[in-house]
Amino acid sequence: RMTQFDLSTHTVQLNSGYAMPTHGFGAYNLLGSTCIQSLHAALDLGVRLIDTANLYRNEREVGQAVRTSSVPREEIFVATKLYPNQYADPEAAIAEALEKLDIGYIDLMLLHHPGRDDVKAYKAMERAVTKGYIRSLGISCFYIQELQDFLPRVDTVPALVQNEIHPYYQDTDVVQYIQGLGLGITVEGWYPLGGRGHQGELLSDPVLTAIAAAHEKSVAQVILRWLLQRHIVVIPGSSNPAHILANTQLYDFSLTDGEMAQIAKLDRREKHDWY
């Protein structure tokens, strides 16, 4: 089961049978009316994938934005996550996510991190899939050792693994491991532009700046395109409509093998968050 990652349709066929957009909107750090307005802007600009989480404290706003958008619910792919402090009572956590979002079903639910009772929580998510509450399952912040421990203990192969991935932390061994399993697991990158406090350095990197100039694109667009060409789904977040639009304009250029190799050399194995 190879992942069907299609840059012409901007979708990836998940191993769960559902199609998911290859680029989306990360709702991390957006609260209240800012969250709703940003999501409406993203949806108006053609974004169809929204990533949220219990931890982000904005599931209600995400749900409201989806319900009040002119885009039909079934055209929007909504992902959320359970946090480890919810794993002990996963049925209640799933019910809470469904109630807060209030969009009928959840397209993708992830475990936010490995943690005590993560298998128990995932098995509850598997049962929610059979009831139609959730369509696809995933995990986040799982690396090779965690995947080797976890995968044999669950019945449903995750549709997606979401990890920190950007040019200074390329996660190459993990990405190759996941894509090489032959299980059709899609990889998604969070913090694609480096994350809080690190964007400035990354977006002014001389190698990336030169590649961007050659394509008449921004450094952010080059980074996102680099991820797409590695068959990694991207979910940048922004409350700026110009940035939201730019983050969708990724399909009218492509990086050469030489440029991909140049970016590969930028890896510092420099994680920008703790997990």
Side-chain angles (χ1 to χ4, degrees):
R1 282 181 295 174
M2 286 310 292
T3 327
Q4 299 299 312
F5 204 97
D6 190 335
L7 289 179
S8 63
T9 61
H10 313 170
T11 58
V12 56
Q13 194 69 25
L14 300 176
N15 63 17
S16 55
Y18 293 95
M20 173 179 170
T22 47
H23 72 276
F25 183 93
Y28 178 61
N29 263 354
L30 293 172
L31 297 169
S33 58
T34 305
C35 180
I36 295 168
Q37 287 161 7
S38 301
L39 282 171
H40 278 163
L43 290 164
D44 288 346
L45 292 166
V47 173
R48 294 293 178 266
L49 165 63
I50 301 169
D51 176 84
T52 183
N54 175 269
L55 182 73
Y56 304 167
R57 296 187 173 84
N58 61 11
E59 286 172 309
R60 284 192 199 283
E61 288 93 332
V62 168
Q64 185 180 333
V66 169
R67 289 193 308 275
T68 56
S69 164
S70 58
V71 179
R73 159 68 185 104
E74 59 274 14
E75 291 179 20
I76 306 173
F77 192 107
V78 179
T80 192
K81 312 176 195 78
L82 300 185
Y83 205 65
N85 62 8
Q86 299 180 286
Y87 295 170
D89 189 356
E91 284 82 6
I94 294 165
E96 182 186 338
L98 286 161
E99 184 267 324
K100 283 181 174 168
L101 285 163
D102 191 21
I103 51 174
Y105 59 90
I106 292 166
D107 293 276
L108 171 67
M109 182 174 269
L110 305 110
L111 298 178
H112 210 136
H113 302 292
R116 186 191 195 69
D117 289 328
D118 52 11
V119 171
K120 173 183 174 181
Y122 192 88
K123 292 195 177 219
M125 285 162 36
E126 289 178 323
R127 290 191 293 275
V129 169
T130 64
K131 294 175 183 162
Y133 300 144
I134 303 170
R135 291 191 163 178
S136 303
L137 303 180
I139 51 183
S140 181
C141 307
F142 277 66
Y143 303 94
I144 292 172
Q145 185 61 55
E146 290 89 348
L147 288 163
Q148 288 173 340
D149 292 342
F150 182 83
L151 292 176
R153 298 164 64 200
V154 298
D155 295 320
T156 308
V157 175
L160 183 131
V161 176
Q162 185 192 104
N163 284 341
E164 176 179 345
I165 311 175
H166 48 77
Y168 293 164
Y169 188 79
Q170 300 193 9
D171 214 22
T172 309
D173 50 343
V174 185
V175 174
Q176 287 175 345
Y177 176 79
I178 293 166
Q179 292 178 341
L181 284 171
L183 299 172
I185 302 174
T186 297
V187 179
E188 183 175 71
W190 53 264
Y191 274 1
L193 306 179
R196 284 187 315 268
H198 298 278
Q199 282 197 4
E201 185 188 7
L202 187 58
L203 295 182
S204 56
D205 184 278
V207 172
L208 297 172
T209 304
I211 294 171
H215 291 278
E216 298 184 344
K217 287 285 184 177
S218 69
V219 171
Q221 288 168 322
V222 165
I223 293 171
L224 297 172
R225 178 71 197 189
W226 164 75
L227 286 159
L228 291 176
Q229 286 184 216
R230 294 175 67 198
H231 290 184
I232 295 168
V233 175
V234 295
I235 45 166
S238 178
S239 58
N240 177 328
H243 290 166
I244 294 170
L245 174 62
N247 289 342
T248 70
Q249 295 171 328
L250 310 173
Y251 301 95
D252 56 352
F253 75 110
S254 58
L255 302 174
T256 65
D257 292 347
E259 289 166 338
M260 293 293 288
Q262 279 184 283
I263 300 173
K265 291 194 183 116
L266 298 177
D267 194 7
R268 307 172 176 177
R269 303 187 74 82
E270 181 182 292
K271 274 184 121 315
H272 290 166
D273 221 320
W274 60 273
Y275 30 73

